[in-house]
Amino acid sequence: MTRIVFSGGRVFTGRASEPGDVVVEGDRIVDVGIGLDGDTRVDATGHTILPGLFDCHVHFMFSGADLVRSLNTPFSLPFYEAIGNMKATLQCGITTVRDALGADLGVAEAVRRGLVQGPRMQIAVNMVSQTGGHNDDWMQCGAHISPPLHPGLPDTVADGPEELRKVIRTLVRHGADIIKIASSGGVMSPRSNPRHAHFRDEEIAMIVQEANAAGIAVMSHAMSGDGILTAVRNGVRSIEHGVFLTDEGVEEMLKNGTWLVPTLMAPRMVLDQAAAGTAISDVILDKARSVVAQHTLSFQKAHQAGVKIAMGTDSGVGPHGDNLNELTLMVEYGMTPAEALHATTTSAADLMRLGNDLGELAPGKLADLVLVEGDAEQHVKAGTLKQAVRGVYQNGVTVG
């Protein structure tokens, strides 16, 4: 088996970058150190070698927030658009993701079987919502405006523990690797309020119980303070967004070991598209504007308190391939560049329960590597990390 050595660069250890070489055989890293040899040499002089990066919150089947465009898009076209979305994400160095709504088992299997290029993924299939909640697409005119349900995408609007038990089992049947719920309203939904909690304790307890029985975790879209608390005290693994996080919510997250996936980019992507001329309703724009400042404060509160944080973007709400902008926002609002990279590698792997194989450059791990020209931490701070990526390797194979 060919022994490939990435030599002469600096290796990101999870907390800092140090001089070192990385040796790969097949799809695994076999050695990390100084002065290593191999059959083939990749010159990493002047470069930082990062582990494959993670994005813990994407939507490959979505290509922006333009509702009018979506309504005029043929049903099958988003599946083809997803091919480009996945490739753009992979090429910026993100080799593993959670798709938080939209990608069905066929999309995931297309990547797993090598039919198309993309990050390895865990899929939620669809988001579980209460009637009138963040995934209930009913409009005031009486129409439903989300992409139509199909055999791979079951209906997941439900109320009460027993309806929810059936929904969770149905999602597992459809190939869900993670259960996604909405324990509050959101920005992009037409009739929900981000400040209002959704689902009661007994409902989320049932969801978590059924997910645990299937050996998978629960992630919760949770913006409101009460919605965060209800999700955390009933055992969800991660809070997505966490916009109106309270001191009590922070205490509960620390006590339960709950993760935060902040997605600082999410409301900003909506506002950027509106500024560029995308037709977005005033209701949604008002909600996006109202959450940005509080979103930042809640991220800072969580970080300062020591809440576990993993990187996620909500890409799909905005462009795919710009995911690394999230790291720069995390640094702007209090993280060091090394902490942001840790949140995008080791921490994210731990959140997704993939730490045995991914998240670090260490012997025995899968050979996902990103070659960055110059100092990766400085690029994170400056917002130039994407432009500095010179090579992406997944399972030891270079990404074209």
Side-chain angles (χ1 to χ4, degrees):
M1 189 177 294
T2 302
R3 181 180 168 98
I4 303 171
V5 58
F6 296 79
S7 66
R10 297 182 66 85
V11 176
F12 183 71
T13 63
R15 298 295 182 187
S17 298
E18 301 175 356
D21 306 332
V22 179
V23 180
V24 171
E25 288 186 11
D27 65 352
R28 296 276 171 176
I29 297 169
V30 296
D31 203 358
V32 178
I34 299 289
L36 304 178
D37 61 3
D39 304 310
T40 301
R41 179 176 180 265
V42 175
D43 186 3
T45 303
H47 292 70
T48 308
I49 308 169
L50 301 175
L53 305 176
F54 284 67
D55 188 331
C56 297
H57 195 128
V58 304
H59 299 283
F60 282 142
M61 291 292 289
F62 302 162
S63 297
D66 190 335
L67 176 59
V68 174
R69 177 184 179 276
S70 296
L71 291 172
N72 287 279
T73 297
F75 166 75
S76 59
L77 185 59
F79 289 91
Y80 294 93
E81 290 178 333
I83 296 171
N85 295 340
M86 292 188 290
K87 187 171 184 179
T89 304
L90 185 61
Q91 288 179 329
C92 73
I94 292 171
T95 59
T96 306
V97 302
R98 289 190 308 184
D99 188 289
L101 184 168
D104 68 0
L105 185 58
V107 174
E109 282 296 306
V111 174
R112 291 166 188 167
R113 299 181 188 191
L115 300 177
V116 297
Q117 276 194 332
R120 68 177 60 76
M121 69 182 80
Q122 295 178 354
I123 57 170
V125 182
N126 207 351
M127 177 167 61
V128 183
S129 167
Q130 70 177 44
T131 299
H134 188 43
N135 202 31
D136 185 344
D137 59 7
W138 183 88
M139 303 290 286
Q140 292 181 87
C141 67
H144 288 261
I145 49 76
S146 72
L149 299 175
H150 58 82
L153 194 73
D155 185 5
T156 52
V157 175
D159 303 285
E162 290 308 318
E163 282 191 15
L164 288 162
R165 185 198 299 273
K166 179 88 178 251
V167 163
I168 302 310
R169 291 178 178 180
T170 301
L171 285 168
V172 173
R173 181 179 70 186
H174 279 69
D177 305 297
I178 181 88
I179 298 298
K180 165 84 174 293
I181 71 170
S183 65
S184 81
V187 168
M188 296 300 295
S189 45
R191 293 291 299 163
S192 74
N193 189 327
R195 295 178 181 271
H196 291 172
H198 290 176
F199 291 133
R200 305 290 79 81
D201 286 275
E202 63 273 17
E203 292 174 309
I204 297 181
M206 176 64 81
I207 291 167
V208 172
Q209 180 185 53
E210 287 298 322
N212 287 344
I216 58 180
V218 179
M219 59 191 292
S220 181
H221 162 100
M223 292 189 169
S224 80
D226 288 344
I228 293 168
L229 276 172
T230 308
V232 172
R233 67 174 170 247
N234 285 288
V236 305
R237 186 162 177 82
S238 68
I239 294 296
E240 313 296 305
H241 317 304
V243 173
F244 299 104
L245 180 64
T246 63
D247 291 342
E248 185 181 2
V250 167
E251 291 175 10
E252 284 292 315
M253 292 181 76
L254 290 170
K255 182 172 74 176
N256 289 278
T258 313
W259 293 79
L260 175 66
V261 180
T263 68
L264 294 168
M265 289 174 62
R268 291 166 173 83
M269 289 189 290
V270 175
L271 297 175
D272 287 346
Q273 288 173 85
T278 298
I280 299 174
S281 75
D282 289 341
V283 171
I284 289 174
L285 282 177
D286 287 346
K287 288 195 284 185
R289 294 187 187 105
S290 73
V291 302
V292 171
Q294 185 59 47
H295 199 177
T296 299
L297 293 174
S298 292
F299 168 76
Q300 292 172 324
K301 182 197 301 277
H303 174 241
Q304 290 165 9
V307 171
K308 296 186 294 186
I309 295 174
M311 194 278 265
T313 62
D314 222 354
S315 291
V317 171
H320 298 272
D322 291 343
N323 312 59
L324 302 185
N325 293 343
E326 182 76 11
L327 280 74
T328 302
L329 288 172
M330 295 165 90
V331 169
E332 183 177 346
Y333 298 124
M335 280 189 167
T336 66
E339 285 176 325
L341 286 169
H342 191 275
T344 314
T345 53
T346 308
S347 287
D350 289 345
L351 166 60
M352 292 178 62
R353 296 173 172 165
L354 296 174
N356 287 338
D357 286 319
L358 294 163
E360 296 177 281
L361 297 173
K365 305 282 186 178
L366 286 170
D368 283 17
L369 302 90
V370 182
L371 202 60
V372 175
E373 186 174 10
D375 186 331
E377 293 179 42
Q378 288 300 314
H379 284 301
V380 168
K381 187 174 181 179
T384 54
L385 184 60
K386 176 182 177 179
Q387 294 85 344
V389 171
R390 295 293 176 264
V392 179
Y393 297 78
Q394 186 182 45
N395 295 322
V397 177
T398 186
V399 172

